[in-house]
Amino acid sequence: MLEEGFQTGTWDAPIPFFVMPKVYSHRLEKTLTAADVTSGNLTLLWGGFCKDALPHEQSQLTLIDWIGNTWKECHLRFDDGTKTTCKISGQWSDICKIHHLADGVVVKFGVTEASNNKVIYFKLSPFIGVRTTLHAPSKSGDRKFIHQTQHYFML
């Protein structure tokens, strides 16, 4: 799924994987626009999800994706004093590049607290994921045989 790996594990053990929270206080489904992807700013309407779930002032946010990668340099700011829209910038552009986000992709956002959240979880929707685990015997020798197992799941 990614060009670069983010997680590591020991040679004789499977690589650990991240489990997203199952219960969210607030959720938002957003269809990305070309501007969301190319400008480096994710634009969201302030009413509803943002007003109920996020801080009511400019803040630094942490975004966590479905794999467990964490971006701590995301900034929440408002377009104007009326607070009709807000923008998330900073590492949002890195997220778009790493996950190859494009115009028309649907992203689901969720928070676990009732209000004033500074941590936002997100995943693509719909998304079929594949988790591959490589197993190697712990015997030493000239050659190591690798056995691969794959698990398919819907996010």
Side-chain angles (χ1 to χ4, degrees):
M1 287 189 294
L2 300 175
E3 293 176 3
E4 301 174 17
F6 282 73
Q7 299 180 353
T8 60
T10 63
W11 178 251
D12 290 333
I15 296 174
F17 65 97
F18 173 74
V19 177
M20 294 213 28
K22 300 212 184 293
V23 177
Y24 297 99
S25 296
H26 302 283
R27 291 175 291 184
L28 171 71
E29 193 169 295
K30 161 85 170 163
T31 302
L32 298 179
T33 64
D36 290 329
V37 177
T38 59
S39 70
N41 295 302
L42 172 65
T43 302
L44 302 171
L45 292 175
W46 175 246
F49 173 82
C50 294
K51 185 176 182 182
D52 295 338
L54 302 180
H56 289 219
E57 58 194 16
Q58 294 188 29
S59 303
Q60 187 162 322
L61 304 175
T62 298
L63 271 65
I64 302 175
D65 69 15
W66 64 95
I67 301 170
N69 300 315
T70 302
W71 286 272
K72 295 183 178 188
E73 298 293 327
C74 297
H75 311 288
L76 172 69
R77 59 185 173 82
F78 301 96
D79 278 346
D80 56 34
T82 62
K83 288 190 177 178
T84 54
T85 61
C86 62
K87 293 188 183 233
I88 297 176
S89 60
Q91 286 187 307
W92 173 252
S93 60
D94 297 334
I95 293 169
C96 292
K97 288 175 190 170
I98 287 171
H99 290 301
H100 304 286
L101 300 182
D103 181 21
V105 170
V106 178
V107 181
K108 288 185 178 182
F109 298 93
V111 294
T112 57
E113 301 296 324
S115 63
N116 203 29
N117 288 273
K118 293 189 178 183
V119 176
I120 303 172
Y121 297 90
F122 72 97
K123 65 181 180 178
L124 303 182
S125 175
F127 183 81
I128 296 176
V130 178
R131 186 180 71 192
T132 300
T133 306
L134 300 176
H135 303 276
S138 57
K139 297 178 185 177
S140 62
D142 294 330
R143 294 184 182 186
K144 287 209 178 234
F145 293 97
I146 304 291
H147 304 282
Q148 178 177 335
T149 59
Q150 292 184 337
H151 303 281
Y152 298 88
F153 54 93
M154 181 68 93
L155 294 175

